[in-house]
Amino acid sequence: MKILIVGGGKVGYYMAKTLLAHGHEAHVLEQDEALCMQIANELDIPVTCGDGSMIEYLRAAGCGECQALVAVTGRDEVNLITCQIAKKEFGVKKTVARVNNPKNTVILRKLGVDIVVSSTENLARILEREVETAAIRQLLSLAGGTATLVELLIPTPFKYHGQSLSQIPITEDAVIISITRHGELLIPRGNTLLCEGDKVLCVAKDEAMHSLVKDWNLGDA
């Protein structure tokens, strides 16, 4: 997935580093030239120097090709304007804004920001779970947010179509709980086949879920 991060401070840097580690394609837009050089050198990703609240800089940063935009500057008004432009001018599917003043949370949501986060601790995890793909539906966060119960829609085509679970490489930190096929619930065993169109209930640690999503081609990246 292509994600544009507006704001290259500590939060933006952490976001980019985390998303890269999870296999996403991150691009940073930041006004400070020194920060731009630091991020580009340390993370080896595209960095555009400019104002994230201006259309020309968002265009230069490839906003139109991104599936998501996250605005994490230190100014709530800039984050709001950036998300609005991304949505209306570039058709970005999902926008996320960091809010520095919690009192602004409600108004940012009313003005069209999809996800407003006042705490930076779980920004990357929240972003991924909200925008990763329509084929993944988060049902429950477990173990303090380090694991998730999800429903996965097996795509067409699927490289493991018709293979049994014992034949498919699945990390030990992920467990298939059930499979729904044509409205029928199946309790999986090692010889149970996985087919295109199946709905799979799975519980997994975050890293295991990222690996599964990538291997099964369930994401946009």
Side-chain angles (χ1 to χ4, degrees), residues 22 76 153 208:
H22 293 164
D76 291 354
L153 177 61

Side-chain angles (χ1 to χ4, degrees), residues 11-48:
V11 177
Y13 179 90
Y14 166 77
M15 282 287 300
K17 188 174 182 179
T18 302
L19 293 172
L20 282 172
H22 293 164
H24 298 286
E25 184 178 339
H27 190 137
V28 173
L29 176 56
E30 164 59 41
Q31 278 189 296
D32 188 287
E33 291 186 10
L35 281 177
C36 289
M37 292 182 63
Q38 178 185 350
I39 295 169
N41 290 334
E42 293 184 10
L43 299 183
D44 193 24
I45 61 174
V47 179
T48 300

Side-chain angles (χ1 to χ4, degrees), residues 12 50 54-55 60 71 123 136 163 168 176:
M54 299 181 68
I55 292 178
L123 255 177
I136 304 172
Q163 295 187 30
I168 300 173
I176 305 301

Side-chain angles (χ1 to χ4, degrees), residues 1-3 19 24 67-69 92-96 114-115 124-134 136 218-220:
M1 178 190 298
K2 293 183 180 180
I3 301 170
L19 293 172
H24 298 286
Q67 285 77 46
L69 175 142
V92 175
K93 294 179 182 179
K94 189 73 70 171
T95 57
V96 182
D114 295 311
I115 306 168
R125 186 176 294 116
I126 290 171
L127 173 65
E128 285 193 301
R129 287 175 178 172
E130 289 290 340
V131 304
E132 188 154 34
T133 171
I136 304 172
L218 300 178
D220 295 320

Side-chain angles (χ1 to χ4, degrees), residues 130-190:
E130 289 290 340
V131 304
E132 188 154 34
T133 171
I136 304 172
R137 186 161 68 96
Q138 182 187 0
L139 301 177
L140 185 65
S141 180
L142 304 169
T146 61
T148 315
L149 175 67
V150 297
E151 182 182 73
L152 308 174
L153 177 61
I154 302 303
T156 301
F158 180 54
K159 64 181 180 181
Y160 299 120
H161 174 71
Q163 295 187 30
S164 67
L165 291 178
S166 62
Q167 295 175 305
I168 300 173
I170 301 174
T171 173
E172 61 181 12
D173 287 331
V175 177
I176 305 301
I177 299 173
S178 70
I179 298 173
T180 302
R181 182 178 302 149
H182 305 306
E184 180 183 357
L185 181 68
L186 306 176
I187 303 301
R189 300 288 187 268

Side-chain angles (χ1 to χ4, degrees), residues 2 5-6 8 12 28 36 38 44 62 82 99-101 105 111 131 137 142 147 176 201 210:
K2 293 183 180 180
I5 301 168
V6 179
V28 173
C36 289
Q38 178 185 350
D44 193 24
T82 300
V99 61
N100 301 280
N101 184 350
T105 300
L111 291 176
V131 304
R137 186 161 68 96
L142 304 169
I176 305 301
L201 194 63
H210 295 309

